[in-house]
């Protein structure tokens, strides 16, 4: 079960919830769907976050890695394109965390950490930047299933 802060837990008790995704890349880049500030300034460049997929193939005795895809707007923001910012210092194989912020969260610790992984693939075109993230489960487990 995912641990929840008291603030976050109280916010999701009602019928309607308003959650904002936060993306933190290597504790250097802070991105979201909205411009906001917690401990850091989050730039509104996240277009969408895909579904998190994870499964176990019991017939082949293989664990499939958990992965997620994130699409970012790749336009000029604050005088610089996102690709230029991210590639000044390479982000390949960097840690990426996905958090969800509810209205009363005042810090990142109040938010819910949904996913943590490493950047494995980057695709870009004129308008979008797509980053594929995988967790480290396969590299740390790497065992035949069932054990």
């Amino acid at each position: 079960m995912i641990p929840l802060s008291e603030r976050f837990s109280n916010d999701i008790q009602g019928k309607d919830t308003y959650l904002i995704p936060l993306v933190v890349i290597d504790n250097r880049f802070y991105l979201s769907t909205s411009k906001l500030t917690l401990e850091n300034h989050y730039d509104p460049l996240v277009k969408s976050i895909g579904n998190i997929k994870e499964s176990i193939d019991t017939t082949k005795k293989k664990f499939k890695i958990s992965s997620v895809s994130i699409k970012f707007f790749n336009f000029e923001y604050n005088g610089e394109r996102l690709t230029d910012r991210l590639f000044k210092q390479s982000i390949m194989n960097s840690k990426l965390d996905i958090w969800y912020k509810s209205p009363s969260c005042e810090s990142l610790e109040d938010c819910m950490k949904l996913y943590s992984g490493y950047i494995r693939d980057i695709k870009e075109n004129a308008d979008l930047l797509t980053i594929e993230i995988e967790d480290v489960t396969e590299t740390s487990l790497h065992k035949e299933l069932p054990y």
Side-chain angles (χ1 to χ4, degrees):
M1 189 159 135
I2 298 174
L4 301 176
S5 71
E6 186 176 337
R7 288 179 193 265
F8 191 89
S9 183
N10 290 338
D11 284 346
I12 62 171
Q13 296 304 315
K15 263 200 253 183
D16 299 322
T17 57
Y18 178 68
L19 301 177
I20 299 172
L22 307 174
V23 176
V24 179
I25 301 174
D26 203 25
N27 290 322
R28 294 182 292 162
F29 303 103
Y30 302 90
L31 306 162
S32 180
T33 54
S34 303
K35 183 178 180 178
L36 59 97
T37 301
L38 291 174
E39 294 94 8
N40 297 290
H41 298 289
Y42 289 80
D43 295 332
L45 297 174
V46 175
K47 180 181 182 195
S48 64
I49 298 177
N51 296 329
I52 298 172
K53 301 170 191 163
E54 185 173 340
S55 64
I56 297 175
D57 186 346
T58 55
T59 57
K60 293 182 182 177
K61 300 180 182 179
K62 295 283 183 184
F63 179 81
K64 295 181 183 177
I65 54 176
S66 171
S67 64
V68 66
S69 175
I70 304 176
K71 291 184 181 186
F72 298 93
F73 294 109
N74 191 24
F75 55 77
E76 192 169 308
Y77 182 78
N78 288 340
E80 198 171 21
R81 291 180 73 87
L82 181 62
T83 51
D84 296 337
R85 286 177 51 203
L86 296 179
F87 296 131
K88 276 183 185 175
Q89 301 172 348
S90 177
I91 61 163
M92 198 61 159
N93 296 318
S94 295
K95 186 175 181 183
L96 186 143
D97 295 318
I98 300 172
W99 300 76
Y100 273 94
K101 179 194 175 304
S102 64
S104 66
C105 292
E106 295 177 352
S107 69
L108 199 58
E109 288 78 33
D110 291 336
C111 301
M112 179 185 71
K113 186 174 188 179
L114 183 69
Y115 190 84
S116 186
Y118 290 87
I119 298 172
R120 296 296 180 222
D121 191 26
I122 301 169
K123 296 176 187 156
E124 72 173 297
N125 62 31
D127 300 324
L128 290 177
L129 178 71
T130 304
I131 295 179
E132 298 288 332
I133 304 100
E134 296 178 352
D135 71 359
V136 294
T137 309
E138 185 172 284
T139 56
S140 60
L141 285 179
H142 197 61
K143 295 179 180 166
E144 295 270 326
L145 295 175
Y147 185 67

